[in-house]
């Protein structure tokens, strides 16, 4: 797996990756941490031409945007929808 720094503006939220229980206080805390030490855990995306669909890491993307990052680390996968759904499901168990 290769980690790449990708533009945050080229990431769209996939249908399986969006969290509905995100709290503003949690995002603010994560954004503050990202400002202090950077983004330690990459997100997971699937390449769609020149853009990327988010598979895992919705809170990290939101917090990175709030922290003012232009690019964030991402594992870029070539999976289809079934594999993306599995990865997203596993990510959201925690």
């Amino acid at each position: 797996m290769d980690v790449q720094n990708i533009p945050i503006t080229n990431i769209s939220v996939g249908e399986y990756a969006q969290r509905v229980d995100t709290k503003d206080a949690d995002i603010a805390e994560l954004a503050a941490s990202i400002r202090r030490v950077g983004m330690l855990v990459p997100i997971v995306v699937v390449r769609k031409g020149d853009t990327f669909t988010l598979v895992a890491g919705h809170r990290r993307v939101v917090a990175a945007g709030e922290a003012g990052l232009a690019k964030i680390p991402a594992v870029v996968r070539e999976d289809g929808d079934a594999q993306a759904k599995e990865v997203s499901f596993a990510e959201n168990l925690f």
Side-chain angles (χ1 to χ4, degrees):
M1 269 186 275
D2 187 31
V3 176
Q4 303 173 28
N5 283 318
I6 62 173
I8 198 167
T9 56
N10 289 13
I11 301 168
S12 63
V13 178
E15 65 180 292
Y16 308 117
Q18 187 168 7
R19 286 196 179 224
V20 293
D21 62 347
T22 302
K23 296 181 180 111
D24 290 342
D26 292 341
I27 294 297
E29 185 177 328
L30 184 53
S33 173
I34 289 171
R35 280 187 209 98
R36 277 192 314 276
V37 298
M39 207 161 145
L40 302 177
V41 178
I43 62 169
V44 179
V45 295
V46 174
R47 184 184 305 277
K48 302 282 185 177
D50 291 337
T51 63
F52 303 89
T53 301
L54 183 66
V55 174
H58 183 249
R59 288 177 357 106
R60 283 171 275 159
V61 171
V62 173
E66 191 172 302
L69 298 184
K71 291 186 174 185
I72 59 175
V75 173
V76 180
R77 298 179 61 119
E78 304 298 332
D79 296 339
D81 286 340
Q83 290 84 9
K85 186 176 181 179
E86 272 184 39
V87 170
S88 180
F89 179 73
E91 163 87 358
N92 287 311
L93 286 176
F94 302 104

Coordinates of all heavy atoms in Angstrom, one line a residue:
M1 N 0.8 -1.2 0.0 CA 0.0 0.0 0.0 C 0.9 1.2 0.0 O 1.8 1.4 0.8 CB -0.9 0.0 1.2 CG -2.2 -0.6 1.0 SD -3.3 -0.4 2.4 CE -2.8 -1.8 3.4
D2 N 0.5 2.1 -0.9 CA 1.3 3.4 -1.0 C 0.5 4.5 -0.5 O -0.7 4.7 -0.8 CB 1.6 3.6 -2.5 CG 2.5 4.8 -2.8 OD1 3.3 5.0 -1.9 OD2 2.3 5.4 -3.8
V3 N 1.1 5.3 0.4 CA 0.4 6.5 1.0 C 0.8 7.7 0.1 O 2.0 7.9 -0.1 CB 0.8 6.7 2.4 CG1 0.2 8.0 3.0 CG2 0.4 5.5 3.3
Q4 N -0.2 8.4 -0.3 CA 0.0 9.6 -1.1 C -0.6 10.8 -0.4 O -1.6 10.7 0.3 CB -0.6 9.5 -2.5 CG -0.2 8.3 -3.3 CD -1.0 8.1 -4.6 OE1 -1.5 9.1 -5.1 NE2 -1.1 6.9 -5.0
N5 N 0.0 12.0 -0.6 CA -0.6 13.2 -0.2 C -1.5 13.8 -1.3 O -1.0 14.1 -2.4 CB 0.4 14.3 0.2 CG 1.1 14.0 1.5 OD1 0.4 13.6 2.5 ND2 2.4 14.1 1.6
I6 N -2.8 13.8 -1.0 CA -3.8 14.2 -2.1 C -4.5 15.5 -1.6 O -4.7 15.8 -0.5 CB -4.8 13.1 -2.4 CG1 -5.6 12.8 -1.2 CG2 -4.0 11.9 -2.9 CD1 -6.8 11.8 -1.5
P7 N -4.9 16.3 -2.6 CA -5.6 17.6 -2.3 C -7.0 17.2 -1.6 O -7.7 16.4 -2.1 CB -5.8 18.2 -3.7 CG -4.8 17.6 -4.6 CD -4.6 16.2 -4.1
I8 N -7.2 17.9 -0.5 CA -8.5 17.7 0.2 C -9.7 18.1 -0.7 O -10.8 17.5 -0.5 CB -8.5 18.4 1.5 CG1 -9.5 17.8 2.5 CG2 -8.6 19.9 1.4 CD1 -9.4 18.3 3.9
T9 N -9.5 19.0 -1.6 CA -10.6 19.5 -2.4 C -10.9 18.4 -3.5 O -12.0 18.5 -4.1 CB -10.2 20.8 -3.1 OG1 -9.0 20.6 -3.9 CG2 -10.1 21.9 -2.1
N10 N -10.1 17.4 -3.7 CA -10.4 16.4 -4.7 C -11.0 15.2 -4.1 O -11.1 14.1 -4.7 CB -9.1 16.0 -5.4 CG -8.6 17.0 -6.4 OD1 -9.0 18.2 -6.3 ND2 -7.6 16.6 -7.2
I11 N -11.5 15.3 -2.8 CA -12.0 14.1 -2.1 C -13.5 14.3 -2.0 O -14.0 15.4 -1.5 CB -11.4 14.0 -0.7 CG1 -9.9 13.8 -0.8 CG2 -12.1 12.8 0.0 CD1 -9.2 13.9 0.5
S12 N -14.3 13.4 -2.4 CA -15.8 13.4 -2.2 C -16.1 12.3 -1.2 O -15.4 11.2 -1.2 CB -16.5 13.2 -3.5 OG -16.3 12.0 -4.1
V13 N -17.1 12.5 -0.4 CA -17.5 11.5 0.6 C -18.3 10.4 -0.1 O -19.3 10.6 -0.7 CB -18.3 12.2 1.7 CG1 -18.8 11.1 2.7 CG2 -17.5 13.2 2.4
G14 N -17.8 9.2 0.1 CA -18.5 8.0 -0.5 C -19.7 7.7 0.3 O -19.9 8.1 1.5
E15 N -20.6 6.9 -0.3 CA -21.9 6.6 0.4 C -21.7 5.8 1.6 O -22.5 5.8 2.5 CB -22.8 5.9 -0.6 CG -22.3 4.6 -1.1 CD -23.3 3.9 -2.0 OE1 -24.4 3.5 -1.6 OE2 -22.9 3.8 -3.2
Y16 N -20.6 5.1 1.7 CA -20.4 4.2 2.9 C -19.5 4.9 3.9 O -19.4 4.3 5.0 CB -19.7 2.9 2.5 CG -20.4 2.2 1.3 CD1 -19.8 2.0 0.1 CD2 -21.7 1.8 1.5 CE1 -20.4 1.4 -0.9 CE2 -22.4 1.1 0.5 CZ -21.7 0.9 -0.7 OH -22.4 0.3 -1.7
A17 N -18.9 6.0 3.6 CA -17.9 6.6 4.5 C -18.4 7.7 5.5 O -17.7 8.0 6.4 CB -16.7 7.1 3.7
Q18 N -19.5 8.2 5.2 CA -19.9 9.4 6.0 C -20.5 8.9 7.4 O -21.3 8.1 7.4 CB -21.0 10.2 5.3 CG -21.3 11.5 6.0 CD -22.1 12.4 5.1 OE1 -22.5 12.1 4.1 NE2 -22.3 13.6 5.6
R19 N -20.0 9.6 8.4 CA -20.5 9.3 9.7 C -21.6 10.3 10.0 O -21.5 11.4 9.7 CB -19.4 9.5 10.8 CG -18.4 8.4 10.8 CD -17.6 8.5 12.1 NE -16.7 7.4 12.1 CZ -16.5 6.7 13.1 NH1 -17.1 6.9 14.2 NH2 -15.6 5.7 13.1
V20 N -22.7 9.8 10.6 CA -23.8 10.6 11.0 C -23.7 11.1 12.4 O -24.4 12.0 12.8 CB -25.1 9.9 10.7 CG1 -25.3 9.7 9.2 CG2 -25.3 8.6 11.4
D21 N -22.9 10.5 13.2 CA -22.8 10.8 14.6 C -21.6 11.7 15.0 O -21.2 11.8 16.1 CB -22.8 9.6 15.5 CG -21.6 8.7 15.2 OD1 -20.9 9.0 14.2 OD2 -21.3 7.8 16.0
T22 N -21.1 12.5 14.0 CA -19.9 13.3 14.2 C -20.3 14.5 15.1 O -21.3 15.2 14.8 CB -19.4 13.8 12.9 OG1 -19.0 12.7 12.1 CG2 -18.2 14.7 13.1
K23 N -19.6 14.7 16.2 CA -19.9 15.8 17.1 C -18.9 17.0 16.9 O -17.7 16.7 16.7 CB -19.8 15.4 18.5 CG -20.9 14.3 18.9 CD -20.8 13.9 20.3 CE -21.8 12.9 20.6 NZ -21.3 11.6 20.9
D24 N -19.4 18.2 16.9 CA -18.5 19.4 16.6 C -17.3 19.4 17.6 O -16.2 19.7 17.2 CB -19.3 20.7 16.7 CG -20.3 20.8 15.6 OD1 -20.1 20.2 14.5 OD2 -21.2 21.7 15.7
A25 N -17.6 19.1 18.8 CA -16.5 19.1 19.8 C -15.4 18.1 19.5 O -14.2 18.4 19.7 CB -17.0 18.9 21.2
D26 N -15.8 16.9 19.1 CA -14.9 15.9 18.7 C -14.0 16.3 17.5 O -12.8 16.1 17.4 CB -15.6 14.6 18.4 CG -16.2 13.9 19.6 OD1 -15.9 14.3 20.7 OD2 -17.1 13.1 19.4
I27 N -14.7 16.9 16.5 CA -14.0 17.4 15.3 C -13.0 18.5 15.7 O -11.9 18.5 15.2 CB -15.0 17.9 14.2 CG1 -15.8 16.7 13.7 CG2 -14.3 18.6 13.1 CD1 -15.0 15.6 13.0
A28 N -13.4 19.4 16.5 CA -12.6 20.5 17.0 C -11.3 20.0 17.7 O -10.2 20.5 17.5 CB -13.3 21.5 17.8
E29 N -11.5 19.0 18.5 CA -10.4 18.4 19.2 C -9.5 17.7 18.3 O -8.2 17.8 18.4 CB -10.9 17.4 20.3 CG -9.9 16.8 21.2 CD -10.5 15.9 22.2 OE1 -11.6 16.1 22.7 OE2 -9.8 14.9 22.6
L30 N -10.0 17.0 17.3 CA -9.2 16.3 16.3 C -8.4 17.3 15.5 O -7.3 17.1 15.2 CB -10.0 15.4 15.5 CG -9.3 14.5 14.4 CD1 -8.2 13.7 15.0 CD2 -10.3 13.6 13.7
A31 N -9.1 18.4 15.1 CA -8.5 19.4 14.3 C -7.3 20.1 15.0 O -6.3 20.3 14.5 CB -9.5 20.5 13.9
A32 N -7.5 20.3 16.3 CA -6.4 20.9 17.1 C -5.2 19.9 17.2 O -4.1 20.4 17.1 CB -6.9 21.2 18.5
S33 N -5.5 18.7 17.3 CA -4.4 17.7 17.3 C -3.7 17.6 16.0 O -2.5 17.6 16.0 CB -5.0 16.3 17.6 OG -4.1 15.3 17.5
I34 N -4.4 17.7 14.9 CA -3.8 17.7 13.6 C -3.0 19.0 13.4 O -1.9 18.9 12.8 CB -4.9 17.6 12.5 CG1 -5.5 16.2 12.5 CG2 -4.3 18.0 11.1 CD1 -6.7 16.0 11.6
R35 N -3.4 20.1 13.9 CA -2.6 21.3 13.8 C -1.3 21.1 14.6 O -0.2 21.6 14.2 CB -3.4 22.5 14.4 CG -4.3 23.1 13.5 CD -4.9 24.4 14.1 NE -6.3 24.6 13.6 CZ -7.4 24.3 14.2 NH1 -7.4 23.8 15.4 NH2 -8.6 24.5 13.6
R36 N -1.4 20.5 15.8 CA -0.2 20.3 16.6 C 0.8 19.3 16.0 O 2.0 19.5 16.0 CB -0.6 19.8 18.0 CG -1.0 20.9 18.9 CD -1.1 20.4 20.4 NE -1.8 19.2 20.6 CZ -3.1 19.1 20.7 NH1 -3.9 20.1 20.6 NH2 -3.7 17.9 20.9
V37 N 0.3 18.1 15.7 CA 1.3 17.0 15.3 C 1.1 16.5 13.9 O 1.8 15.6 13.4 CB 1.1 15.8 16.3 CG1 1.5 16.2 17.7 CG2 -0.3 15.2 16.2
G38 N 0.2 17.1 13.1 CA -0.1 16.6 11.8 C -1.1 15.4 11.8 O -1.5 15.0 12.8
M39 N -1.3 14.9 10.6 CA -2.3 13.8 10.4 C -1.5 12.5 10.5 O -0.7 12.2 9.5 CB -3.0 14.0 9.1 CG -4.4 13.3 9.1 SD -5.4 14.0 7.9 CE -6.3 12.6 7.5
L40 N -1.6 11.7 11.5 CA -0.8 10.6 11.7 C -1.3 9.3 11.0 O -0.6 8.4 10.7 CB -0.7 10.3 13.2 CG 0.0 11.4 14.1 CD1 0.0 11.1 15.5 CD2 1.3 11.8 13.6
V41 N -2.7 9.3 10.8 CA -3.3 8.1 10.2 C -3.9 8.5 8.9 O -4.7 9.4 8.8 CB -4.4 7.5 11.2 CG1 -5.0 6.3 10.5 CG2 -3.8 7.1 12.5
P42 N -3.5 7.9 7.8 CA -4.0 8.3 6.5 C -5.5 7.8 6.3 O -5.9 6.9 7.0 CB -3.1 7.5 5.5 CG -2.5 6.4 6.2 CD -2.5 6.8 7.7
I43 N -6.2 8.5 5.5 CA -7.5 8.1 5.1 C -7.4 7.1 4.1 O -6.3 6.8 3.6 CB -8.4 9.3 4.6 CG1 -7.8 9.9 3.3 CG2 -8.5 10.4 5.7 CD1 -8.6 10.9 2.6
V44 N -8.5 6.5 3.7 CA -8.6 5.5 2.6 C -9.5 6.0 1.5 O -10.7 6.4 1.9 CB -9.0 4.1 3.1 CG1 -9.1 3.1 1.9 CG2 -8.1 3.6 4.2
V45 N -9.1 6.0 0.3 CA -9.9 6.5 -0.8 C -9.8 5.5 -2.0 O -8.9 4.7 -2.1 CB -9.4 7.9 -1.3 CG1 -9.6 9.0 -0.2 CG2 -8.0 7.9 -1.8
V46 N -10.7 5.7 -2.9 CA -10.7 5.0 -4.2 C -10.5 6.0 -5.3 O -11.3 7.0 -5.2 CB -12.0 4.1 -4.4 CG1 -12.0 3.5 -5.8 CG2 -12.1 3.1 -3.3
R47 N -9.6 5.8 -6.2 CA -9.4 6.8 -7.3 C -10.6 6.7 -8.3 O -11.0 5.6 -8.7 CB -8.1 6.5 -8.0 CG -7.8 7.5 -9.1 CD -6.5 7.1 -9.8 NE -5.4 7.0 -9.0 CZ -4.6 7.9 -8.5 NH1 -4.9 9.2 -8.8 NH2 -3.6 7.7 -7.7
K48 N -11.1 7.9 -8.6 CA -12.1 8.0 -9.7 C -11.6 9.1 -10.7 O -12.0 10.2 -10.5 CB -13.4 8.4 -9.1 CG -14.0 7.5 -8.0 CD -14.6 6.3 -8.6 CE -15.3 5.5 -7.5 NZ -15.9 4.3 -8.0
G49 N -10.8 8.7 -11.6 CA -10.2 9.6 -12.5 C -9.2 10.6 -11.8 O -8.3 10.1 -11.1
D50 N -9.5 11.9 -11.8 CA -8.6 12.8 -11.1 C -9.1 13.1 -9.7 O -8.5 13.9 -9.0 CB -8.6 14.2 -11.9 CG -7.8 14.0 -13.2 OD1 -7.0 13.1 -13.3 OD2 -8.0 14.8 -14.1
T51 N -10.2 12.5 -9.3 CA -10.7 12.7 -8.0 C -10.7 11.4 -7.2 O -10.3 10.4 -7.7 CB -12.2 13.2 -8.0 OG1 -13.0 12.2 -8.6 CG2 -12.3 14.5 -8.8
F52 N -11.1 11.5 -5.9 CA -11.0 10.4 -5.0 C -12.3 10.3 -4.2 O -12.8 11.3 -3.8 CB -9.8 10.6 -4.0 CG -8.5 10.7 -4.7 CD1 -8.1 12.0 -5.0 CD2 -7.7 9.6 -5.0 CE1 -6.8 12.2 -5.7 CE2 -6.5 9.8 -5.7 CZ -6.1 11.1 -6.0
T53 N -12.8 9.1 -4.0 CA -14.0 8.9 -3.2 C -13.6 8.3 -1.9 O -12.8 7.3 -1.8 CB -15.0 7.9 -3.9 OG1 -15.3 8.4 -5.2 CG2 -16.2 7.7 -3.1
L54 N -14.0 8.9 -0.8 CA -13.6 8.5 0.5 C -14.2 7.2 0.9 O -15.4 7.0 0.7 CB -14.0 9.6 1.5 CG -13.7 9.4 3.0 CD1 -12.2 9.5 3.1 CD2 -14.3 10.4 3.9
V55 N -13.4 6.3 1.4 CA -13.9 5.0 1.9 C -13.9 5.0 3.4 O -14.8 4.5 4.1 CB -13.1 3.9 1.3 CG1 -13.4 2.5 1.9 CG2 -13.2 3.9 -0.2
A56 N -12.8 5.5 4.0 CA -12.6 5.5 5.5 C -11.9 6.7 5.9 O -10.9 7.1 5.3 CB -11.9 4.2 5.9
G57 N -12.4 7.4 6.9 CA -11.7 8.5 7.5 C -12.5 9.8 7.4 O -11.9 10.9 7.4
H58 N -13.8 9.7 7.4 CA -14.6 11.0 7.3 C -14.3 12.0 8.4 O -14.1 13.2 8.0 CB -16.1 10.6 7.4 CG -17.0 11.7 7.2 ND1 -17.8 12.2 8.2 CD2 -17.2 12.5 6.1 CE1 -18.5 13.3 7.7 NE2 -18.2 13.5 6.5
R59 N -14.2 11.6 9.6 CA -13.9 12.6 10.7 C -12.5 13.2 10.5 O -12.3 14.4 10.7 CB -13.9 11.9 12.1 CG -15.3 11.6 12.6 CD -15.3 10.8 13.9 NE -14.0 10.5 14.5 CZ -13.5 11.1 15.6 NH1 -14.1 12.1 16.1 NH2 -12.3 10.8 16.0
R60 N -11.5 12.5 10.0 CA -10.2 13.0 9.7 C -10.2 14.0 8.6 O -9.5 15.0 8.6 CB -9.2 11.9 9.4 CG -8.8 11.1 10.7 CD -8.0 9.9 10.4 NE -9.0 8.8 10.1 CZ -8.7 7.7 9.5 NH1 -7.5 7.5 8.9 NH2 -9.7 6.8 9.3
V61 N -11.0 13.8 7.5 CA -11.1 14.7 6.4 C -11.8 16.0 6.9 O -11.3 17.1 6.6 CB -12.0 14.1 5.3 CG1 -12.2 15.2 4.2 CG2 -11.2 13.0 4.6
V62 N -12.9 15.9 7.7 CA -13.5 17.1 8.2 C -12.6 17.9 9.1 O -12.4 19.1 9.0 CB -14.8 16.7 8.9 CG1 -15.4 17.9 9.6 CG2 -15.8 16.1 7.9
A63 N -11.9 17.2 10.0 CA -11.0 17.9 10.9 C -9.8 18.5 10.2 O -9.3 19.6 10.5 CB -10.5 16.9 12.0
A64 N -9.3 17.8 9.2 CA -8.1 18.3 8.4 C -8.5 19.6 7.7 O -7.8 20.5 7.6 CB -7.6 17.3 7.4
G65 N -9.8 19.6 7.2 CA -10.3 20.8 6.5 C -10.4 21.9 7.5 O -10.0 23.1 7.3
E66 N -10.9 21.6 8.7 CA -11.0 22.6 9.8 C -9.6 23.1 10.2 O -9.4 24.3 10.6 CB -11.8 22.1 11.0 CG -12.1 23.1 12.0 CD -13.1 22.6 13.1 OE1 -14.2 22.1 12.7 OE2 -12.7 22.6 14.2
A67 N -8.6 22.2 10.2 CA -7.2 22.6 10.6 C -6.5 23.4 9.5 O -5.4 23.9 9.7 CB -6.5 21.3 10.9
G68 N -7.1 23.5 8.3 CA -6.6 24.3 7.2 C -5.6 23.5 6.3 O -4.9 24.2 5.5
L69 N -5.6 22.2 6.3 CA -4.7 21.5 5.5 C -5.2 21.5 4.0 O -6.4 21.3 3.8 CB -4.6 20.0 5.9 CG -4.0 19.8 7.3 CD1 -3.9 18.3 7.6 CD2 -2.7 20.5 7.5
A70 N -4.3 21.6 3.1 CA -4.6 21.6 1.7 C -4.5 20.2 1.1 O -5.2 19.8 0.2 CB -3.7 22.5 0.9
K71 N -3.5 19.4 1.7 CA -3.3 18.0 1.2 C -3.3 17.1 2.5 O -2.8 17.6 3.5 CB -2.0 17.8 0.5 CG -2.1 18.5 -0.9 CD -0.8 18.2 -1.6 CE -0.9 18.7 -3.1 NZ 0.3 18.3 -3.9
I72 N -3.8 15.9 2.3 CA -3.7 15.0 3.5 C -3.3 13.6 3.0 O -3.4 13.3 1.8 CB -5.1 14.9 4.2 CG1 -6.2 14.4 3.2 CG2 -5.5 16.2 4.8 CD1 -7.5 14.1 3.9
P73 N -2.7 12.8 3.9 CA -2.2 11.5 3.5 C -3.4 10.5 3.3 O -4.3 10.5 4.0 CB -1.3 11.1 4.7 CG -1.8 11.9 5.8 CD -2.3 13.1 5.3
A74 N -3.2 9.7 2.2 CA -4.3 8.8 1.9 C -3.7 7.5 1.3 O -2.8 7.6 0.5 CB -5.3 9.4 0.9
V75 N -4.3 6.4 1.7 CA -4.0 5.2 1.0 C -5.0 5.1 -0.2 O -6.2 5.2 0.0 CB -4.3 4.0 1.9 CG1 -4.2 2.6 1.2 CG2 -3.3 4.0 3.1
V76 N -4.5 5.1 -1.4 CA -5.3 5.1 -2.6 C -5.5 3.6 -3.1 O -4.5 3.0 -3.4 CB -4.6 5.9 -3.7 CG1 -5.5 5.9 -5.0 CG2 -4.4 7.4 -3.2
R77 N -6.7 3.2 -3.0 CA -7.0 1.8 -3.4 C -7.7 1.8 -4.8 O -8.2 2.8 -5.3 CB -8.0 1.2 -2.4 CG -7.3 1.1 -1.0 CD -8.3 0.5 0.0 NE -8.7 -0.8 -0.4 CZ -8.4 -1.9 0.3 NH1 -7.8 -1.8 1.5 NH2 -8.8 -3.1 -0.1
E78 N -7.7 0.7 -5.4 CA -8.3 0.5 -6.7 C -9.5 -0.5 -6.6 O -9.9 -1.1 -7.6 CB -7.2 -0.1 -7.7 CG -6.0 0.7 -7.8 CD -6.2 2.1 -8.4 OE1 -7.1 2.3 -9.1 OE2 -5.4 3.0 -8.0
D79 N -10.0 -0.5 -5.4 CA -11.2 -1.4 -5.1 C -12.4 -1.1 -5.9 O -12.6 0.1 -6.2 CB -11.5 -1.4 -3.7 CG -10.4 -2.0 -2.8 OD1 -9.5 -2.7 -3.3 OD2 -10.4 -1.6 -1.6
G80 N -13.3 -2.0 -6.0 CA -14.6 -1.8 -6.5 C -15.5 -1.4 -5.3 O -15.1 -1.3 -4.2
D81 N -16.8 -1.3 -5.6 CA -17.8 -0.9 -4.6 C -17.9 -1.9 -3.4 O -18.0 -1.5 -2.3 CB -19.2 -0.6 -5.2 CG -19.2 0.6 -6.0 OD1 -18.4 1.5 -5.8 OD2 -20.1 0.8 -6.8
A82 N -17.9 -3.2 -3.8 CA -18.0 -4.2 -2.7 C -16.9 -4.1 -1.7 O -17.1 -4.1 -0.5 CB -18.1 -5.6 -3.3
Q83 N -15.6 -4.0 -2.2 CA -14.5 -3.9 -1.3 C -14.5 -2.6 -0.5 O -14.2 -2.6 0.7 CB -13.2 -4.0 -2.1 CG -12.9 -5.4 -2.6 CD -13.6 -5.7 -3.9 OE1 -14.2 -4.8 -4.6 NE2 -13.6 -6.9 -4.4
A84 N -14.9 -1.5 -1.1 CA -15.0 -0.2 -0.5 C -16.0 -0.3 0.7 O -15.8 0.2 1.8 CB -15.4 0.9 -1.5
K85 N -17.1 -1.0 0.4 CA -18.1 -1.1 1.5 C -17.6 -1.9 2.7 O -17.8 -1.5 3.8 CB -19.4 -1.8 0.9 CG -20.5 -1.9 1.9 CD -21.7 -2.5 1.2 CE -22.9 -2.5 2.1 NZ -24.1 -3.1 1.5
E86 N -16.8 -2.9 2.4 CA -16.2 -3.8 3.5 C -15.3 -2.9 4.3 O -15.3 -3.0 5.5 CB -15.5 -4.9 2.9 CG -16.3 -6.2 2.6 CD -15.5 -7.3 2.1 OE1 -14.3 -7.5 2.6 OE2 -16.0 -8.0 1.3
V87 N -14.4 -2.2 3.6 CA -13.4 -1.4 4.3 C -14.1 -0.3 5.2 O -13.7 -0.1 6.4 CB -12.4 -0.7 3.3 CG1 -11.5 0.3 4.0 CG2 -11.6 -1.8 2.6
S88 N -15.1 0.3 4.6 CA -15.8 1.4 5.4 C -16.5 0.8 6.6 O -16.5 1.3 7.7 CB -16.8 2.1 4.4 OG -17.5 3.1 5.1
F89 N -17.1 -0.4 6.4 CA -17.8 -1.0 7.5 C -16.9 -1.4 8.6 O -17.1 -1.1 9.8 CB -18.5 -2.3 7.0 CG -19.3 -3.0 8.1 CD1 -20.4 -2.5 8.6 CD2 -18.8 -4.2 8.6 CE1 -21.1 -3.2 9.6 CE2 -19.4 -4.9 9.6 CZ -20.6 -4.4 10.1
A90 N -15.7 -1.9 8.3 CA -14.7 -2.3 9.3 C -14.2 -1.0 10.0 O -14.1 -1.0 11.2 CB -13.5 -3.0 8.6
E91 N -14.0 0.1 9.3 CA -13.6 1.3 9.9 C -14.6 1.9 10.9 O -14.2 2.4 11.9 CB -13.3 2.3 8.8 CG -13.3 3.8 9.2 CD -11.9 4.2 9.6 OE1 -10.9 3.4 9.6 OE2 -11.8 5.4 10.0
N92 N -15.8 1.8 10.6 CA -16.9 2.4 11.4 C -17.3 1.5 12.5 O -18.2 1.9 13.3 CB -18.1 2.8 10.5 CG -17.7 4.0 9.7 OD1 -17.2 5.0 10.2 ND2 -18.0 3.9 8.4
L93 N -16.7 0.3 12.7 CA -17.0 -0.5 13.9 C -16.4 0.1 15.1 O -16.9 -0.2 16.2 CB -16.5 -1.9 13.7 CG -17.2 -2.8 12.7 CD1 -16.5 -4.2 12.6 CD2 -18.6 -3.0 13.2
F94 N -15.4 0.9 15.0 CA -14.7 1.5 16.1 C -15.2 2.8 16.5 O -15.5 3.7 15.9 CB -13.2 1.5 15.9 CG -12.7 0.1 15.6 CD1 -12.4 -0.3 14.3 CD2 -12.5 -0.8 16.6 CE1 -11.9 -1.6 14.0 CE2 -12.1 -2.1 16.3 CZ -11.8 -2.5 15.0

